[in-house]
Amino acid sequence: MKKIALFSFAVFSIVSISACTKNSDNKYDSVISDLKSELAVKSDSKLTIGKYKWIYKVVHNVTNADMSKGDMIEVYPKSERDSEKLSNINTDSQMNDIYAQSKIVTLQKIVSKIAKKLPNDNSGIELGYQSEQKSKGLIPIASSVKSMDIIPIHD
């Protein structure tokens, strides 16, 4: 009888924990959906990047200068080739290439607009590309929380 009770408790605990984890990501479903539609629309424009396939990943317990144990929605190109293209666009924009700068600003405005829909200032959105050195992770070109742009938008 004890074994049945312990087994039942263990199963209930696992189901409860997994349900909580999925529910915490569900609060970002509409934000991610808005990001997907904005990036799809802007990909058709001459001002933005090509038709990239994006990865949308919610990272929990992020602590940085702007948030404490918050959630970050990371958005980056799915393919290594597209990450390299976005990296080149970012480099060109820093070298005063006006066309590249307009592409980066467009992406920053998308992130800024959608970040206003986040539930609080302890969650954010970062859009960027994967570093060639995997240990460095995401190199952001656009980053915002609900009330401010972490990476300022320079029109």
Side-chain angles (χ1 to χ4, degrees):
M1 185 69 171
K2 248 184 181 179
K3 288 181 182 179
I4 293 173
L6 284 174
F7 180 74
S8 298
F9 178 73
V11 169
F12 176 74
S13 297
I14 291 170
V15 169
S16 297
I17 290 170
S18 66
C20 289
T21 303
K22 290 184 190 264
N23 286 341
S24 66
D25 284 351
N26 286 346
K27 66 182 174 184
Y28 299 111
D29 285 350
S30 67
V31 173
I32 291 171
S33 177
D34 290 347
L35 278 167
K36 286 179 180 179
S37 66
E38 281 288 320
L39 288 170
V41 169
K42 298 300 181 187
S43 292
D44 293 334
S45 167
K46 290 181 183 177
L47 282 180
T48 60
I49 54 180
K51 294 185 183 254
Y52 293 0
K53 292 188 186 221
W54 299 94
I55 291 177
Y56 303 86
K57 180 179 169 185
V58 179
V59 180
H60 301 286
N61 296 321
V62 173
T63 299
N64 58 31
D66 304 298
M67 65 176 68
S68 174
K69 292 188 179 181
D71 298 326
M72 183 67 71
I73 300 171
E74 292 183 345
V75 182
Y76 52 92
K78 190 172 191 174
S79 77
E80 196 172 304
R81 189 180 114 242
D82 289 344
S83 272
E84 189 176 312
K85 283 182 185 178
L86 189 55
S87 171
N88 291 338
I89 291 168
N90 189 43
T91 300
D92 291 347
S93 75
Q94 293 170 4
M95 304 299 268
N96 294 325
D97 178 327
I98 294 171
Y99 187 67
Q101 286 174 345
S102 66
K103 291 179 180 188
I104 298 297
V105 167
T106 300
L107 291 172
Q108 289 173 331
K109 286 181 178 180
I110 290 170
V111 169
S112 179
K113 174 183 166 186
I114 303 298
K116 290 175 180 37
K117 299 177 182 182
L118 290 167
N120 57 51
D121 275 336
N122 210 30
S123 52
I125 302 171
E126 275 189 346
L127 183 143
Y129 53 91
Q130 292 289 63
S131 170
E132 290 176 13
Q133 299 172 351
K134 298 294 179 195
S135 62
K136 290 190 176 181
L138 184 71
I139 309 294
I141 59 172
S143 183
S144 297
V145 293
K146 184 174 185 131
S147 64
M148 66 183 240
D149 300 320
I150 307 306
I151 297 178
I153 301 172
H154 299 290
D155 281 323

